[in-house]
Amino acid sequence: MSTIKEFHRQSIDQPDVFWAEQAKLIDWETPYEKTLDFSRPPFAKWFVGGRTNLCFNAVDRHAAKRPDARALVYISTETNEEKSYSYAELKREVERTAAIMQSLGVGRGDRVLIYMPMIAEAAFAMLACARIGAIHSVVFGGFASGSLATRIDDATPKLIVSSDAGMRGGKAVPYKHLLDEAINLAGHKPAHVLMVDRGLDPAFNRVEGRDVDYATLRQQFLDAEVPVTWLESSEPSYILYTSGTTGKPKGVQRDTGGYCVALASTMKYIYCGGEGETMFSTSDIGWVVGHSYIIYAPLIAGMTTIMYEGTPLRPDAGIWWKIVEDYKVNVMFSAPTAARVLKKQDPAFMHKYDLSSLKHLFLAGEPLDQPTHEWIMGELNLPVIDNYWQTETGWPILAAMPGVEQTKIKYGTPSFPVYGYNLKIFREDGSECDANEKGIVGIVPPLPPGCLSTVWGDDDRFVSTYFSLFREPLVYSSFDWGIRDDEGYHFILGRTDDVINVAGHRLGTREIEEAVQGHSAIAEVAVVGVADPLKGQMPMAFAVVKDASRVATAEQRLALEKEVFKKVDESLGAIARPSRVHFVTVLPKTRSGKLLRRSIQALAEGRDPGDLTTIEDPAALEQLKQALGV
Ligand code: ATP
Ligand code: MG
C-alpha cells in the first residue's frame, strides 16, 4: 500500500499509467487505444476508442457470475413496501424497460427525461437508458412545472418517464399535473410519456396517444431480451442539471467509459465497498449523489444498493439505523443536513440497533461543521468521512481515502485532494496560495475521467463558465473558497459568490456562520449579505437555537442577539457583525440540504425569492418573512 501522497502524485505525473491500471476494474467490449486525448484543452477524452456500457458493468457482468446475489433493495416507509431484486431479476426488469423504450422509438443518443419518485422503476429506467445508449436526464421529483419545462427545452427528450405521485411524510404528492403543465409551457414536446401508475392519484389525467402505461407494456415485454449497445467511451451517458444554488442550472454532460472507471475506483479507494457488501445512500436519484452512489457505483462494484423512499424521522428517528441493522449495511452515505436533523433527536434511537456492520459513514453536499462532525463520529464510534465534490465532477474532489491509507480524521475538513485532481488554491491574480492562505479552489486540467465533458449542447458555456477565471493559467474553477493547512488538509470556506462586501471588506458567509455557531446556544445559522445604502452590504443572520425557550420573549431575543454579536466581534472583528440576528426554528433548504441563500437574500432585500419548489419545509419561508416583517 502506498501513501495518499505518492498515490496522488502518480495520478498527476503519470495519468496514462495510473488510469490504465484503474480501467482494469471494468469490462470493455473493445479495448481503448489511448488513455487520454487532451489535444483540444480544456476538453478531455478518456479511454479513446474503447467501447463499453454502464449497464453491462452495473448489471450483466454480475448477473452472469452471481445471478442470485442481491442487487437492489427498495424500501419505502411511505407506502410500507420492501422489495429485493437479485442481479438476475434486476437484469430482467431493466431489459423489459429497455424493450418498452425501444418500442417507443428511443435509441442511441436520444434523450429520456426521468421525473420520478424514489421507486425501483426509476432505477430500471436509468439503467435501461444506459443499456440502449439513450441519454437520461433525471429531474428531481419535486421541481415544479417551470423548472421542469426549462429542462425539457434544454434536453429535448423523445420520452419522459414519470409516475402519478411521490409520497412525503405519509401524503401523496401528485406529479402528473405538474408534468402536463411543464409540457404545456415547454416549446419542445416529447412524443411519449411513460407512466408508472402507483395508484396514489387515481384521478390523474391521461393524454390520449401520448401517455402510455408502464404495467401494460411491461406485460407485453415480459420475456424481452435486449442486447447492450456498446458505446465509445466518450459518448454521453447522461445529463444532469446542477442545483442552481447560484444561478441558471447547467446541463452537466457525463461520458461513459471515464465515469464507469472513476466510479469503480472510488469504491475501492474511498468508499471501501465490494461484492457481497451493502451500501445505503440516503440521497435521491434526482441529485448527483443518487446517480453515482445509489445507482451506478455500488452496482458496478457488485454490491447491494438500498433505495429508500421516506424521511429520516418516520416512523421514528431510528429508521435509518434499523435499515443498517436489517441489511447489514457496510457503507453509508448521507448529507450534513441529515446529521444535523438526527443530532436534534434522542441518541437512543441510534443506539437501539446493531450497527456493527458499518465501516464508514460518508457525508457530502455542503460544509460539515465541526460540532456536527465531532458529535456524529462520537455517537457512531466510527470514521465519518466528509467528502467534497460537485455535480460537475460526479465523484469526490476532496476526501479521505481509507482504501489507500488510513489517515487521521480532522473535524471540519474533507481532507485531501483525490487522485486524478490536480487541485490547487489560487489567488485572484492566478498565482498559487501558500499554506494557510485562503483562495479559490481550482483544478488544473485535464479533469480526470468521469467529470463533465461539456455543458450539454453548449461547448462555449463550458469554457466560459468553468475555465475563464484567469487568462493564464487555464484552470477549472470550483467557485468555492478553500484553504490548505500545514498538514495538507483542505477546508472549504463557502462559495466565491457568497462573499459579502462590507464597506470594502470582503467577508465569507461561511466564516461569519462559523463565528455565530461558536455561541453554544446556536444549532444552525445562515448568513447572507443584504444591500445597505451606506456600507454596500451588511451581513444578516438567521439562527436556529438549540432550546427554543431561550428566545421565547422579545427581551430574551435581544439579549441573545447581543451575545452573538459579541461572539462575532471576538472571532472576526466588529466589521463582520451582522446587522441583525433573527431567530427561527427552521431554515429554508432544498431537500438535498442546501441552504437557499439566494432566496433568503432576495427576501431580505424585498425581492422575488425565485423558484422555491424544492424547499424542504415551506414553514421556513413563512418564519423568515415574519422575522423580516414582509
Ligand atoms: P449551482 O452550481 O447550479 O449553483 P450547486 O453548486 O448548489 O448549484 P451542486 O453541484 O449540487 O450544485 O453542489 C456542489 C457544491 O456544494 C460545491 O461547489 C460546494 O459549494 C458544496 N459542497 C459539496 N460538498 C461539500 C463539502 N463536503 N463541504 C463543503 N461544501 C460542499
Ligand atoms: Mg455549483
Side-chain angles (χ1 to χ4, degrees):
M1 207 194 236
S2 61
T3 64
I4 277 181
K5 258 199 177 142
E6 291 161 9
F7 196 69
H8 184 263
R9 187 169 315 123
Q10 202 220 349
S11 76
I12 302 305
D13 292 348
Q14 296 175 282
D16 286 43
V17 181
F18 182 89
W19 286 108
E21 193 54 36
Q22 309 313 322
K24 293 179 191 159
L25 294 169
I26 71 159
D27 287 8
W28 297 86
E29 187 254 353
T30 308
Y32 54 89
E33 290 143 21
K34 203 171 169 200
T35 316
L36 169 66
D37 174 1
F38 194 50
S39 55
R40 195 168 66 101
F43 298 90
K45 286 187 171 163
W46 288 95
F47 310 114
V48 183
R51 299 210 310 165
T52 186
N53 182 286
L54 270 177
C55 179
F56 182 86
N57 277 286
V59 182
D60 295 54
R61 62 172 180 163
H62 306 298
K65 269 193 304 183
R66 299 153 51 241
D68 301 326
R70 195 144 63 184
L72 180 82
V73 179
Y74 164 63
I75 302 170
S76 174
T77 50
E78 297 289 349
T79 57
N80 293 317
E81 280 170 276
E82 209 155 309
K83 193 166 171 15
S84 291
Y85 299 84
S86 68
Y87 271 97
E89 287 165 337
L90 178 61
K91 178 166 179 277
R92 301 208 63 187
E93 293 297 347
V94 170
E95 285 188 276
R96 288 164 184 158
T97 310
I100 296 174
M101 288 181 178
Q102 286 180 332
S103 79
L104 297 172
V106 177
R108 184 178 192 154
D110 289 333
R111 272 81 58 213
V112 174
L113 189 142
I114 299 174
Y115 179 65
M116 289 180 92
M118 284 286 286
I119 55 177
E121 288 79 1
F124 305 157
M126 291 168 75
L127 291 162
C129 286
R131 185 171 198 85
I132 61 174
I135 301 167
H136 61 66
S137 177
V138 183
V139 176
F140 178 66
F143 273 119
S145 312
S147 316
L148 186 53
T150 337
R151 286 158 176 80
I152 293 174
D153 275 334
D154 195 70
T156 60
K158 201 175 235 181
L159 172 71
I160 295 183
V161 188
S162 190
S163 188
D164 54 339
M167 290 275 290
R168 225 179 132 65
K171 282 194 227 74
V173 184
Y175 282 9
K176 184 56 170 37
H177 69 283
L178 296 175
L179 176 60
D180 286 343
E181 200 180 310
I183 297 175
N184 266 339
L185 287 172
H188 172 83
K189 310 291 175 197
H192 289 286
V193 174
L194 176 63
M195 290 295 298
V196 177
D197 184 358
R198 307 177 76 188
L200 296 174
D201 182 18
F204 80 81
N205 178 48
R206 291 165 176 83
V207 177
E208 196 69 39
R210 187 197 71 186
D211 297 357
V212 290
D213 179 53
Y214 172 79
T216 314
L217 288 171
R218 178 178 174 276
Q219 213 53 38
Q220 279 177 31
F221 293 104
L222 268 189
D223 302 317
E225 283 178 24
V226 178
V228 303
T229 301
W230 300 106
L231 300 182
E232 201 279 333
S233 178
S234 290
E235 279 183 68
S237 55
Y238 68 74
I239 307 165
L240 178 61
Y241 294 88
T242 59
S243 308
T245 309
T246 52
K248 183 172 170 261
K250 301 162 281 270
V252 166
Q253 178 178 321
R254 194 86 64 212
D255 72 347
T256 296
Y259 184 54
C260 197
V261 170
L263 290 186
S265 75
T266 61
M267 294 315 290
K268 189 169 166 192
Y269 303 120
I270 301 175
Y271 299 101
C272 301
E275 273 184 23
E277 294 191 310
T278 300
M279 180 154 189
F280 176 24
S281 300
T282 69
S283 182
D284 186 285
I285 50 150
W287 312 122
V288 67
V289 175
H291 282 63
S292 292
Y293 296 104
I294 295 175
I295 307 295
Y296 290 113
L299 294 176
I300 288 168
M303 300 177 76
T304 304
T305 185
I306 291 180
M307 204 171 167
Y308 174 69
E309 180 183 43
T311 74
L313 301 180
R314 257 177 51 104
D316 61 47
I319 179 61
W320 283 0
W321 313 113
K322 178 176 185 310
I323 292 174
V324 171
E325 178 182 290
D326 287 354
Y327 291 92
K328 302 204 169 34
V329 171
N330 309 98
V331 187
M332 189 163 166
F333 192 157
S334 192
T337 185
R340 283 191 290 266
V341 166
L342 293 169
K343 194 173 158 195
K344 290 182 197 144
Q345 314 298 317
D346 183 348
F349 284 117
M350 197 181 264
H351 302 308
K352 214 166 107 182
Y353 298 98
D354 175 9
L355 307 181
S356 59
S357 57
L358 212 51
K359 294 187 286 187
H360 299 103
L361 169 66
F362 293 87
L363 298 174
E366 27 142 5
L368 174 61
D369 59 284
Q370 186 161 335
T372 305
H373 199 175
E374 195 169 346
W375 169 80
I376 192 148
M377 210 155 125
E379 289 299 325
L380 289 174
N381 195 26
L382 51 86
V384 174
I385 299 181
D386 181 7
N387 51 128
Y388 159 79
W389 44 301
Q390 305 181 309
T391 306
E392 288 86 345
T393 65
W395 55 285
I397 304 169
L398 290 170
M401 287 154 269
V404 181
E405 183 193 4
Q406 294 290 345
T407 47
K408 174 183 69 181
I409 290 188
K410 251 191 216 186
Y411 300 127
T413 146
S415 300
F416 312 108
V418 171
Y419 53 88
Y421 292 93
N422 191 4
L423 182 143
K424 296 193 165 138
I425 298 182
F426 293 93
R427 300 191 183 110
E428 278 162 273
D429 64 3
S431 60
E432 244 187 272
C433 289
D434 296 322
N436 303 309
E437 183 186 344
K438 177 179 160 181
I440 301 157
V441 175
I443 302 161
V444 180
L447 296 176
C451 291
L452 83 166
S453 29
T454 186
V455 170
W456 172 254
D458 201 344
D459 282 355
D460 290 343
R461 192 169 176 215
F462 173 66
V463 180
S464 66
T465 303
Y466 296 106
F467 291 93
S468 311
L469 192 57
F470 323 113
R471 202 174 287 164
E472 275 290 321
L474 183 67
V475 170
Y476 169 90
S477 171
S478 68
F479 300 104
D480 288 314
W481 296 111
I483 198 165
R484 177 184 79 246
D485 72 8
D486 293 321
E487 293 181 302
Y489 284 82
H490 287 61
F491 294 75
I492 297 295
L493 304 172
R495 296 165 186 255
T496 51
D497 47 10
D498 281 344
V499 168
I500 303 178
N501 198 327
V502 186
H505 299 268
R506 291 155 58 80
L507 305 162
T509 51
R510 173 97 197 268
E511 293 161 275
I512 306 176
E513 285 168 5
E514 293 264 335
V516 173
Q517 228 156 355
H519 191 293
S520 60
I522 307 295
E524 222 185 329
V525 62
V527 170
V528 295
V530 177
D532 182 273
L534 227 61
K535 297 186 172 164
Q537 272 186 315
M538 278 293 279
M540 188 183 279
F542 297 86
V544 178
V545 288
K546 286 179 187 155
D547 174 5
S549 70
R550 281 213 54 173
V551 288
T553 66
E555 289 86 61
Q556 282 178 310
R557 282 195 290 276
L558 276 177
L560 186 58
E561 186 176 33
K562 266 201 186 130
E563 286 179 32
V564 171
F565 287 161
K566 200 163 151 252
K567 200 83 205 173
V568 176
D569 290 359
E570 281 165 13
S571 49
L572 295 174
I575 185 78
R577 181 197 288 182
S579 59
R580 288 297 316 271
V581 182
H582 296 290
F583 297 105
V584 291
T585 60
V586 53
L587 292 168
K589 287 187 188 168
T590 66
R591 287 184 212 159
S592 60
K594 292 187 191 298
L595 267 176
L596 286 160
R597 275 180 205 288
R598 268 190 309 151
S599 307
I600 302 176
Q601 187 185 38
L603 277 178
E605 293 183 347
R607 290 180 289 113
D608 173 15
D611 184 352
L612 291 165
T613 50
T614 60
I615 197 165
E616 169 79 32
D617 182 353
L621 217 62
E622 281 315 307
Q623 286 199 18
L624 223 70
K625 286 185 186 163
Q626 250 172 32
L628 291 164
V630 295

